[in-house]
């Protein structure tokens, strides 16, 4: 029964990816997501296929009076699915719903100190990634992140990196790594832990000393935030990361199966 379900899901997704990509959706990508225009044509087509599957399987809900449109869904899906290019993917299998606020929102959540639940705190937020099938985003930040592809900040990349991290349990900075065979997996996980562990410690030290860093210093919060921040930097400041943090760049290059340094001049597809 499970094998039959997987087969049906595979064929359904193949059919979705094979459908013509709507011209108005492509115009949204061309006009509002400059990074799309820098992808090779084959990657653009692959991304469009992923967007079609994502939009067919995920539910979008507007919050605080916000209205969900095709433009909203396509622009968010494009950024989320960029992280899936060239990888074996089940399209964020634990994710069911994307909640979208018009702008910064305030939520009251429990906060922890030394693993003890100590109280509630009202905080203004731009986004969250829950391990219960929900991502929350502020539309203003999602638009800004898509438009500015060089500042190292992209809310959608950040929250969906958390979703990748959460596929095998709570976010801990150690997502599932794709590798072949027990020996290769052992080496891969060992290398990942060493490189990202060292880079995380260095960022914390630089933050404590007030040094300027390529990586956003929010990544010094914990290992999960470090992975999400590193993902933002990898796609938006690839040359700076490769120069200052070559080992980290190589680990993310292998994980994401992409090399953003190689993305060239805009490659705008025909409408």
């Amino acid at each position: 029964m499970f094998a039959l379900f997987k087969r049906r899901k595979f064929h359904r997704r193949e059919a979705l990816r094979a459908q013509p990509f709507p011209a108005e959706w492509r115009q949204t990508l061309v006009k509002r997501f400059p990074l799309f225009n820098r992808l090779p044509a084959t990657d653009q087509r692959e991304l469009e296929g992923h967007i079609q599957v994502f939009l067919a399987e995920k539910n979008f809900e507007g919050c605080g009076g916000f209205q969900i449109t095709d433009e909203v869904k396509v622009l968010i899906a494009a950024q989320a699915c960029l992280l899936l290019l060239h990888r074996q993917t089940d399209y964020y299998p634990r994710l069911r719903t994307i909640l979208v606020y018009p702008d910064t929102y305030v939520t009251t959540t429990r906060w922890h100190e030394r693993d003890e639940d100590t109280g509630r705190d009202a905080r203004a937020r731009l986004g969250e990634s829950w391990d219960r099938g929900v991502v929350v985003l502020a539309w203003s930040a999602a638009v800004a992140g898509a438009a500015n592809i060089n500042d190292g900040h992209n809310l959608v990349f950040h929250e969906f990196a958390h979703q990748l991290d959460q596929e095998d349990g709570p976010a801990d900075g150690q997502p599932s790594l794709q590798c072949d065979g027990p020996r290769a997996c052992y080496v891969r996980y060992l290398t990942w832990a060493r490189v990202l562990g060292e880079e995380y410690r260095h960022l914390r030290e630089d933050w404590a000393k007030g040094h300027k860093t390529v990586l956003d210093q929010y990544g010094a919060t914990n290992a999960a935030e470090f992975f999400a921040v590193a993902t933002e930097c990898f796609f938006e400041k690839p040359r700076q990361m490769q120069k200052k943090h070559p080992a980290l760049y190589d680990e993310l290059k292998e994980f994401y199966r992409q090399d953003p340094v190689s993305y060239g001049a805009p490659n705008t597809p025909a409408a």
Side-chain angles (χ1 to χ4, degrees), residues 193-217 219-221 226 244-248:
R194 177 180 57 79
V195 171
L196 270 76
E198 290 177 356
E199 294 283 357
Y200 172 55
R201 287 192 294 273
H202 291 159
L203 182 61
R204 287 181 61 86
E205 291 170 0
D206 287 340
W207 170 73
K209 296 175 182 178
H211 293 170
K212 186 177 180 180
T213 58
V214 173
L215 292 159
D216 189 313
Q217 294 183 355
T221 304
F226 178 79
K244 296 291 186 179
H245 307 277
L248 178 60

Side-chain angles (χ1 to χ4, degrees), residues 116-247:
E116 294 183 4
D117 187 56
T118 56
R120 290 185 177 273
D121 189 11
R123 298 183 180 182
R125 296 178 182 271
L126 292 173
E128 299 171 82
S129 175
W130 303 351
D131 58 6
R132 300 185 304 279
V134 176
V135 163
V136 190
L137 301 168
W139 174 239
S140 59
V143 170
N148 191 335
I149 61 174
N150 299 307
D151 66 352
H153 299 289
N154 184 294
L155 175 68
V156 181
F157 290 171
H158 186 103
E159 301 305 339
F160 278 86
H162 282 320
Q163 280 291 306
L164 292 175
D165 195 358
Q166 291 166 331
E167 285 184 6
D168 60 354
D172 58 3
Q174 176 63 82
S176 294
L177 305 179
Q178 296 175 3
C179 45
D180 298 320
R183 176 60 183 172
C185 283
Y186 172 78
V187 173
R188 184 82 182 86
Y189 276 91
L190 195 65
T191 303
W192 177 277
R194 177 180 57 79
V195 171
L196 270 76
E198 290 177 356
E199 294 283 357
Y200 172 55
R201 287 192 294 273
H202 291 159
L203 182 61
R204 287 181 61 86
E205 291 170 0
D206 287 340
W207 170 73
K209 296 175 182 178
H211 293 170
K212 186 177 180 180
T213 58
V214 173
L215 292 159
D216 189 313
Q217 294 183 355
Y218 184 64
T221 304
N222 56 50
E225 296 300 346
F226 178 79
F227 170 61
V229 163
T231 293
E232 294 179 84
C233 189
F234 175 73
F235 284 104
E236 295 219 339
K237 292 185 174 181
R239 287 175 175 80
Q240 295 97 312
M241 177 183 274
Q242 188 181 54
K243 180 179 179 180
K244 296 291 186 179
H245 307 277

Side-chain angles (χ1 to χ4, degrees), residues 3-269:
L4 178 61
F5 172 77
K6 286 187 67 176
R7 248 192 337 268
R8 286 178 175 173
K9 182 168 69 173
F10 173 80
H11 290 303
R12 182 181 70 250
R13 288 173 171 176
E14 284 284 289
L16 286 166
R17 287 191 289 263
Q19 290 179 2
F21 195 75
E24 60 272 22
W25 291 10
R26 184 172 297 121
Q27 284 304 305
T28 293
L29 300 181
V30 170
K31 293 178 179 179
R32 308 208 67 172
F33 190 28
L35 188 53
F36 174 79
N37 300 321
R38 295 185 177 276
L39 296 175
T42 53
D43 286 3
Q44 291 179 343
R45 299 289 82 76
E46 182 182 345
L47 180 59
E48 290 173 352
H50 286 336
I51 291 169
Q52 287 171 293
V53 173
F54 187 94
L55 294 185
E57 296 185 351
K58 311 304 180 186
N59 178 51
F60 284 76
E61 295 181 14
C63 302
F66 186 72
Q67 297 297 313
I68 299 295
T69 64
D70 280 355
E71 180 182 56
V72 171
K73 293 191 289 186
V74 169
L75 191 60
I76 290 173
Q79 295 171 82
C81 291
L82 184 72
L83 307 189
L84 306 180
L85 287 182
H86 312 308
R87 306 179 70 246
Q88 298 175 15
T89 179
D90 198 18
Y91 293 94
Y92 304 105
R94 302 179 72 177
L95 176 65
R96 297 291 176 268
T97 302
I98 298 96
L99 303 179
V100 187
Y101 284 85
D103 207 334
T104 304
Y105 60 96
V106 176
T107 182
T108 301
T109 57
R110 290 192 177 275
W111 56 279
H112 298 258
E113 183 174 335
R114 296 182 181 177
D115 298 325
E116 294 183 4
D117 187 56
T118 56
R120 290 185 177 273
D121 189 11
R123 298 183 180 182
R125 296 178 182 271
L126 292 173
E128 299 171 82
S129 175
W130 303 351
D131 58 6
R132 300 185 304 279
V134 176
V135 163
V136 190
L137 301 168
W139 174 239
S140 59
V143 170
N148 191 335
I149 61 174
N150 299 307
D151 66 352
H153 299 289
N154 184 294
L155 175 68
V156 181
F157 290 171
H158 186 103
E159 301 305 339
F160 278 86
H162 282 320
Q163 280 291 306
L164 292 175
D165 195 358
Q166 291 166 331
E167 285 184 6
D168 60 354
D172 58 3
Q174 176 63 82
S176 294
L177 305 179
Q178 296 175 3
C179 45
D180 298 320
R183 176 60 183 172
C185 283
Y186 172 78
V187 173
R188 184 82 182 86
Y189 276 91
L190 195 65
T191 303
W192 177 277
R194 177 180 57 79
V195 171
L196 270 76
E198 290 177 356
E199 294 283 357
Y200 172 55
R201 287 192 294 273
H202 291 159
L203 182 61
R204 287 181 61 86
E205 291 170 0
D206 287 340
W207 170 73
K209 296 175 182 178
H211 293 170
K212 186 177 180 180
T213 58
V214 173
L215 292 159
D216 189 313
Q217 294 183 355
Y218 184 64
T221 304
N222 56 50
E225 296 300 346
F226 178 79
F227 170 61
V229 163
T231 293
E232 294 179 84
C233 189
F234 175 73
F235 284 104
E236 295 219 339
K237 292 185 174 181
R239 287 175 175 80
Q240 295 97 312
M241 177 183 274
Q242 188 181 54
K243 180 179 179 180
K244 296 291 186 179
H245 307 277
L248 178 60
Y249 185 86
D250 287 345
E251 283 301 306
L252 293 175
K253 178 181 174 182
E254 183 170 354
F255 177 76
Y256 284 114
R257 309 294 174 90
Q258 298 182 62
D259 184 10
V261 166
S262 69
Y263 295 160
N267 176 32
T268 306

